[in-house]
Amino acid sequence: MPRVLLLYCFVFLLPTESCRRLCQAASKSKEQVSARPHGVCDGVCLEKSSCSQPCPPDTQGNMGFLCRQKKWHKITDTCRTLTAFNIFEAGEYSIQPSGGTKITEYANKKSETITDVLMRKCPRDLSCVIRNIQRSPRIPGNIAVIVQLLRNISTVLTTDVDEAKMQSYSIMANHILNSKSISNWTFIPDRNSSWVLLHSVNSFARKLFINKHPIDIADVFIHTMGTTISRDDTGKNFSFSMRVNDTGDEVTGRVSISRDELQKMPSPSKAISIAFPTLGAILEASVLENVTVNGLVLSVILPKELQRISLIFEKISKSEEMRTQCVGWHSLESRWDQQACQMIQENSQQAVCTCQPSRLFTSFSILMAPHVLESPILVYITYIGLGISICSLVLCLSIEALVWGEVTKTEISYLRHVCIANIAASLLVADVWFIVAAFLSGPATSHSACVAATFFVHFFYLSVFFWMLAKALLILYGILIVFHTLPKSALVASLFTVGYGCPLVIAAITVAATEPGKGYLQPETCWLNWDMTKALMAFVVPALAIVVVNLVTVTLVIVKTRQAAVGSSMFQEVRAIVRISKNIAILTPLLGLTWGFGIATVLDDRSLAFHIIFSLLNAFQGFFILVFGTILDPKIRQALKDRVTSAKWISRTSENLSSDFSRHPTKGPS
């Protein structure tokens, strides 16, 4: 009998143990599958090709990939666990066949949205979705669902919002504003999600009802404060201190309403302020702005009578080398705008701004200018070099005036020296305006003065290039004699049209096209904008085009001169070669090298070496003109020598006459 029992036990326990082992193996296999990265495309990765893969198990949606540099990179992600079925704490709901956010309750078969059911199930405090939202992973699809839900709630609720609803709303927003979710915002297909959330929170807070007691709803990543204000108040402050990441470090921010502003209010009203420590990074990540928010994002809902407030932002990154901009979020254009605020004071720790709240501008912050390279070496090189350049140009113009009659006896030499004089004069004025623009740059920049300085710097630097173009044309004129039928007055008029007319047209069109949209200037710098409107191209493109034209011109001149030199005397050929070499020596370092490195600094603005080389070449352009355009010219040297010799002869003659007069004085009448 015991043997029979043992046999039965063996028969039953063996498959049970086998099942247990099989289940363990299946479980291990499932863990391995889950641990493996989902969504990796199986096909061949061809540059800029794309593919779509399903989401991991237990999630809905898909992931989009793009092939870059022979590797698949995820660009979109709609994976979500939150659905109309599981977002509520209780109740039997089913998902519509089409997906989306519509649900059907079995009891009455009535088609409703998640927001409709939310308003029906828990209209008092919106709490029936909080627990499941807080438990949900912060993956891109879930973030998108919550953003849409918050948007719908802010739209549906038209009556006053009490503190309980605001508390629930903040908890839902806090979940997706967590610092751990920032990177996932980049994969949401709708790039507007971040500013939709900002607009929704502000819109919902605008309906907040404040009775007698102030409201203070503090979550980790969103903090709402509200109170009533009146003209009898001495002032009102909202102070925030919040963590921007998982570290214990906190960043502070303060909204301050002065007593003078409160005097403008006709009756007591509500004032609400909301602080976001991570929303700035989320906006940057999702909208792909080329800026970095360096403080809290502070939203303010105030009466329309209040037109100016003070904001104090503690900096997240306290680098002294980074410039700061006070900005407001333009709700219609969905971008940071400098026109809403003005910098009042700044140090390495904080920035003080005055801003003008309105329906367009409700949220404010400070931006850290990207890749700002400030080095004492660059400052010294620039200003010392400009000083040498200005002195060189003054000396160049003085020499030209001194020897003008001696070196302009022929038509070609007259036109050539007209070009040299105007190149020197244009660069001299450009350098002076450059110094003026440097003094005008900074946080407290006068916008109109900065626009004027930038216009003149742009115009006169362009004039230098176009006069160099005119000089290249004169090389052709002098060697190939292509304009021999034109009178001298027509040639001079043509030179001035090229040298000043073309730059004036380009500079005027640039400021007219970009300044109405405030895209003419760089932030806090009096120079042409690059990041927003690419206005700098109005200088770079003409300058580099002239470099290319001049090099092609010189090449053609060399070819033509060699052909014309056949059968000529060696002396004439050498003179032609020397003349060409001299012009190449002027054009190449002045245009090619200088602005070649200028483009390099735009493409790689972190390279200190490129900035130093460009600053050296750019600052010493006046010295180059003095050397290559004046001192190395043999006719000018000969004219100066003749002047010196003549001056010595006159001095010696006057001395002899004076000595003769002293020896034999003229006798007067007796």
Side-chain angles (χ1 to χ4, degrees):
M1 184 68 181
R3 291 182 179 180
V4 174
L5 289 173
L6 184 62
L7 180 61
Y8 274 94
C9 287
F10 180 77
V11 170
F12 284 102
L13 289 177
L14 181 61
T16 303
E17 178 67 17
S18 299
C19 274
R20 186 176 65 82
R21 291 181 179 178
L22 285 172
C23 289
Q24 287 178 349
S27 177
K28 288 182 179 180
S29 175
K30 184 177 180 181
E31 288 176 1
Q32 291 175 355
V33 170
S34 299
R36 209 172 58 210
H38 290 276
V40 177
C41 298
D42 298 326
V44 178
C45 183
L46 300 176
E47 190 67 21
K48 296 185 178 181
S49 60
S50 60
C51 74
S52 179
Q53 293 290 97
C55 290
D58 301 325
T59 59
Q60 299 180 10
N62 55 68
M63 295 177 287
F65 292 83
L66 182 67
C67 180
R68 292 196 301 262
Q69 298 178 351
K70 299 182 180 179
K71 289 184 179 180
W72 291 107
H73 297 269
K74 184 167 70 171
I75 56 173
T76 59
D77 187 335
T78 60
C79 299
R80 63 187 182 278
T81 59
L82 284 178
T83 64
F85 180 78
N86 62 17
I87 196 170
F88 294 95
E89 293 184 21
E92 294 182 347
Y93 305 100
S94 65
I95 306 172
Q96 289 281 71
S98 60
T101 58
K102 286 192 175 181
I103 58 177
T104 302
E105 188 176 8
Y106 288 134
N108 54 19
K109 302 296 182 181
K110 180 182 177 182
S111 178
E112 298 175 299
T113 65
I114 295 178
T115 310
D116 293 334
V117 176
L118 177 64
M119 294 294 104
R120 182 167 53 81
K121 297 291 292 183
C122 49
R124 291 186 58 187
D125 56 7
L126 311 178
S127 62
C128 54
V129 294
I130 289 178
R131 182 176 300 178
N132 288 344
I133 284 179
Q134 287 183 307
R135 291 175 178 175
S136 65
R138 300 178 186 90
I139 55 179
N142 284 349
I143 294 174
V145 169
I146 297 170
V147 168
Q148 188 61 41
L149 176 61
L150 293 173
R151 182 182 190 178
N152 291 342
I153 292 173
S154 66
T155 304
V156 169
L157 280 176
T158 57
T159 58
D160 289 337
V161 173
D162 60 16
E163 189 171 357
K165 290 189 181 72
M166 192 71 212
Q167 180 75 57
S168 298
Y169 197 90
S170 295
I171 292 173
M172 288 185 272
N174 183 76
H175 182 69
I176 56 177
L177 287 169
N178 192 295
S179 58
K180 296 178 180 178
S181 70
I182 293 175
S183 60
N184 286 334
W185 284 82
T186 62
F187 301 116
I188 300 176
D190 185 2
R191 296 297 183 189
N192 300 331
S193 296
S194 56
W195 65 261
V196 166
L197 174 65
L198 175 60
H199 177 75
S200 301
V201 173
N202 291 340
S203 177
F204 192 79
R206 195 178 294 276
K207 303 167 187 175
L208 181 61
F209 175 75
I210 301 173
N211 198 1
K212 296 181 180 180
H213 304 289
I215 291 177
D216 191 339
I217 303 172
D219 286 293
V220 180
F221 301 103
I222 178 173
H223 187 176
T224 303
M225 299 176 69
T227 187
T228 56
I229 55 176
S230 67
R231 61 186 306 165
D232 297 329
D233 294 333
T234 57
K236 187 64 65 175
N237 294 315
F238 297 101
S239 298
F240 303 93
S241 181
M242 308 183 74
R243 291 190 337 218
V244 295
N245 47 41
D246 296 331
T247 66
D249 298 333
E250 292 188 340
V251 175
T252 61
R254 189 172 72 187
V255 179
S256 179
I257 308 171
S258 67
R259 182 177 181 177
D260 292 338
E261 283 294 316
L262 291 173
Q263 293 297 315
K264 301 176 182 178
M265 295 181 50
S267 60
S269 302
K270 65 181 180 182
I272 300 167
S273 184
I274 313 168
F276 307 88
T278 57
L279 185 59
I282 290 171
L283 285 166
E284 176 189 352
S286 58
V287 185
L288 303 178
E289 290 277 352
N290 188 27
V291 294
T292 301
V293 177
N294 200 28
L296 299 178
V297 174
L298 298 178
S299 292
V300 289
I301 292 94
L302 301 171
K304 63 181 180 180
E305 289 82 9
L306 300 183
Q307 299 177 353
R308 187 171 294 274
I309 58 174
S310 296
L311 301 171
I312 302 176
F313 298 95
E314 181 185 354
K315 295 181 179 180
I316 298 173
S317 176
K318 297 176 173 62
S319 172
E320 294 184 1
E321 296 181 354
M322 294 295 182
R323 292 184 179 176
T324 301
Q325 308 164 25
C326 298
V327 291
W329 183 260
H330 198 297
S331 59
L332 292 182
E333 299 180 2
S334 305
R335 62 176 177 85
W336 292 112
D337 195 324
Q338 299 177 69
Q339 303 306 310
C341 297
Q342 184 178 4
M343 177 75 72
I344 298 301
Q345 186 179 358
E346 180 189 7
N347 55 40
S348 61
Q349 301 296 315
Q350 66 179 19
V352 181
C353 311
T354 59
C355 300
Q356 300 175 3
S358 63
R359 283 282 181 175
L360 283 181
F361 296 104
T362 305
S363 303
F364 307 92
S365 190
I366 53 174
L367 303 184
M368 182 170 63
H371 314 320
V372 174
L373 188 62
E374 292 187 351
S375 169
I377 298 175
L378 290 177
V379 175
Y380 292 141
I381 290 174
T382 300
Y383 286 102
I384 293 174
L386 281 174
I388 296 174
S389 180
I390 290 173
C391 293
S392 299
L393 292 168
V394 171
L395 182 58
C396 176
L397 291 172
S398 300
I399 292 174
E400 285 290 331
L402 188 64
V403 301
W404 186 265
E406 299 296 326
V407 297
T408 58
K409 293 181 177 180
T410 64
E411 182 181 275
I412 183 63
S413 61
Y414 174 84
L415 296 173
R416 178 174 173 273
H417 283 277
V418 166
C419 290
I420 293 174
N422 280 279
I423 289 170
S426 297
L427 187 56
L428 177 62
V429 178
D431 286 345
V432 172
W433 275 108
F434 182 88
I435 295 174
V436 173
F439 279 105
L440 290 174
S441 298
T445 300
S446 172
H447 185 76
S448 300
C450 196
V451 168
T454 302
F455 175 83
F456 286 116
V457 171
H458 184 201
F459 168 66
F460 283 107
Y461 272 130
L462 273 182
S463 295
V464 174
F465 282 94
F466 277 93
W467 275 107
M468 292 300 297
L469 175 63
K471 188 174 181 182
L473 296 176
L474 279 179
I475 296 172
L476 290 173
Y477 173 76
I479 296 177
L480 305 180
I481 316 297
V482 293
F483 297 134
H484 66 284
T485 57
L486 295 176
K488 183 178 178 180
S489 58
L491 288 173
V492 172
S494 300
L495 291 177
F496 275 85
T497 301
V498 172
Y500 292 122
C502 296
L504 182 61
V505 171
I506 295 173
I509 291 176
T510 303
V511 69
T514 58
E515 177 55 23
K518 304 303 179 184
Y520 183 61
L521 301 175
Q522 290 187 12
E524 298 182 8
T525 304
C526 296
W527 186 228
L528 299 172
N529 185 283
W530 172 256
D531 293 324
M532 189 167 70
T533 61
K534 298 292 186 293
L536 184 58
M537 295 295 287
F539 175 72
V540 173
V541 171
L544 294 185
I546 290 172
V547 171
V548 174
V549 170
N550 284 354
L551 292 177
V552 171
T553 300
V554 171
T555 303
L556 292 175
V557 168
I558 293 173
V559 173
K560 292 292 184 181
T561 304
R562 285 182 177 177
Q563 294 175 355
V566 177
S568 302
S569 65
M570 184 62 67
F571 177 73
Q572 292 176 340
E573 186 175 354
V574 169
R575 283 187 61 188
I577 293 174
V578 169
R579 194 173 185 182
I580 295 168
S581 300
K582 179 185 63 177
N583 285 279
I584 292 175
I586 295 172
L587 294 172
T588 303
L590 188 59
L591 297 176
L593 289 178
T594 301
W595 296 103
F597 280 104
I599 294 299
T601 60
V602 174
L603 299 177
D604 185 9
D605 56 2
R606 295 183 181 182
S607 174
L608 181 60
F610 283 163
H611 280 82
I612 290 176
I613 294 172
F614 173 68
S615 297
L616 282 170
L617 292 173
N618 188 41
F620 287 94
Q621 284 185 99
F623 180 74
F624 292 154
I625 291 176
L626 174 64
V627 172
F628 295 109
T630 303
I631 294 177
L632 292 182
D633 190 323
K635 290 186 177 181
I636 291 179
R637 291 204 305 271
Q638 184 62 43
L640 285 173
K641 184 179 178 181
D642 293 342
R643 280 277 185 175
V644 172
T645 303
S646 176
K648 288 181 179 179
W649 182 83
I650 293 172
S651 177
R652 191 179 301 114
T653 302
S654 62
E655 288 178 1
N656 292 335
L657 289 173
S658 178
S659 62
D660 290 342
F661 180 80
S662 61
R663 290 176 187 175
H664 308 286
T666 304
K667 294 182 180 181
S670 56

